Amino acid sequence: MLIAVPASIDKVIDEASTGLRVIVSAPNAYMLPIWYRDAIKKMPDVVATTAERQWGGLYKDDRQPIVAFGIDSDIAEVYPETNLLPEQINEFLHQRDAAAVGEMLMRKYDWHIGDRVTLKNGDSKLALTFQIIASLRAHMTRNSFIFRREYFDEGVKKTYGVDITDAASFITVRVARITDVPKVIEEIDGRFRNSEYETSTITESDSIANGVSAIADLSTIIF
């Protein structure tokens, strides 16, 4: 069971390394302007883009944090491996509180499709209730909690009076072919170089590897 932890992390990174997505962030700023998403989508060899919001929501209490991601409505174009049914895609498109949840999270909290789940901010002021419309089985999404970014942005504006609708935590870009990835990365960063919000674009596998770098010694400790 212990050895399965680093093995699982390695498997996710390996799967991501064969993927067609790159992650665009702003090293010199907290957020990226939303219009970057549309500008990148028009670039050659780009299939789809989504502006994402990362949120560390709490389920029930602060001992159960869930890293959730708010995305645009085009989930199937950017994340085709979710294998959502047409009716589930339609729900995600038209139901603002819809959420697609990884099967491991579903099992952990005994959630089921159709359940309504409430996540809260650390200060407990912001509380959003989602309806689970799909279970995600792909290895990379088994611990994911994906929802509509607009729903979160509306909640922040209503709760705190802050408008964040024109900003994103990062932008995920799906590329046409694996051989096009280096060219797309260069084009994106070149497009916004010397701008107020310069970009740093890396592959999805590098992004995941950076995310687990804080526990880089985990494998050694476990072995």
Side-chain angles (χ1 to χ4, degrees):
M1 289 175 63
L2 286 172
I3 291 175
V5 176
S8 179
I9 294 174
D10 290 342
K11 183 173 178 59
V12 169
I13 295 175
D14 287 343
E15 287 185 3
S17 66
T18 62
L20 298 172
R21 285 187 293 267
V22 298
I23 309 299
V24 186
S25 60
N28 61 342
Y30 178 62
M31 294 284 188
L32 279 175
I34 285 289
W35 70 265
Y36 277 27
R37 171 200 59 196
D38 303 320
I40 294 171
K41 192 172 184 177
K42 296 176 182 177
M43 293 180 178
D45 307 310
V46 171
V47 175
T49 60
T50 186
E52 301 207 24
R53 174 89 57 228
Q54 184 172 333
W55 180 38
L58 302 178
Y59 177 61
K60 291 187 176 180
D61 56 56
D62 58 7
R63 291 172 297 178
Q64 301 183 72
I66 294 176
V67 181
F69 295 93
I71 72 173
D72 297 319
S73 58
D74 49 359
I75 184 172
E77 288 80 6
V78 180
Y79 297 99
E81 72 273 16
T82 56
N83 292 319
L84 296 180
L85 300 173
E87 56 268 27
Q88 293 172 327
I89 295 174
N90 187 61
E91 283 185 273
F92 197 83
L93 286 172
H94 297 98
Q95 185 175 327
R96 296 181 78 76
D97 64 351
V101 183
E103 62 175 8
M104 288 188 69
L105 277 182
M106 299 275 280
R107 288 201 302 268
K108 180 178 180 179
Y109 296 112
D110 195 28
W111 293 339
H112 303 87
I113 293 178
D115 286 355
R116 301 191 70 81
V117 175
T118 299
L119 301 183
K120 298 180 180 181
N121 235 16
D123 58 10
S124 296
K125 293 180 180 179
L126 175 64
L128 297 177
T129 299
F130 303 90
Q131 182 170 25
I132 301 175
I133 57 100
S135 173
L136 305 175
R137 298 183 178 181
H139 198 89
M140 284 186 58
T141 59
R142 293 171 69 192
N143 277 299
S144 299
F145 192 105
I146 301 174
F147 61 91
R148 290 285 299 277
R149 178 178 52 81
E150 296 95 328
Y151 182 52
F152 178 84
D153 292 352
E154 291 169 358
V156 168
K157 187 173 183 179
K158 183 177 179 180
T159 304
Y160 303 105
V162 179
D163 190 349
I164 59 172
T165 55
D166 291 330
S169 301
F170 57 91
I171 296 170
T172 301
V173 181
R174 184 166 167 243
V175 182
R177 293 168 295 274
I178 192 70
T179 53
D180 295 327
V181 168
K183 180 172 59 175
V184 170
I185 289 176
E186 183 178 352
E187 183 168 3
I188 292 173
D189 290 342
R191 168 69 172 79
F192 303 109
R193 188 170 292 123
N194 298 322
S195 66
E196 182 179 0
Y197 299 96
E198 291 190 335
T199 61
S200 174
T201 306
I202 59 178
T203 63
E204 187 175 45
S205 59
D206 284 344
S207 177
I208 294 172
N210 291 343
V212 299
S213 61
I215 54 172
D217 292 332
L218 179 63
S219 297
T220 302
I221 292 170
I222 287 177
F223 283 127

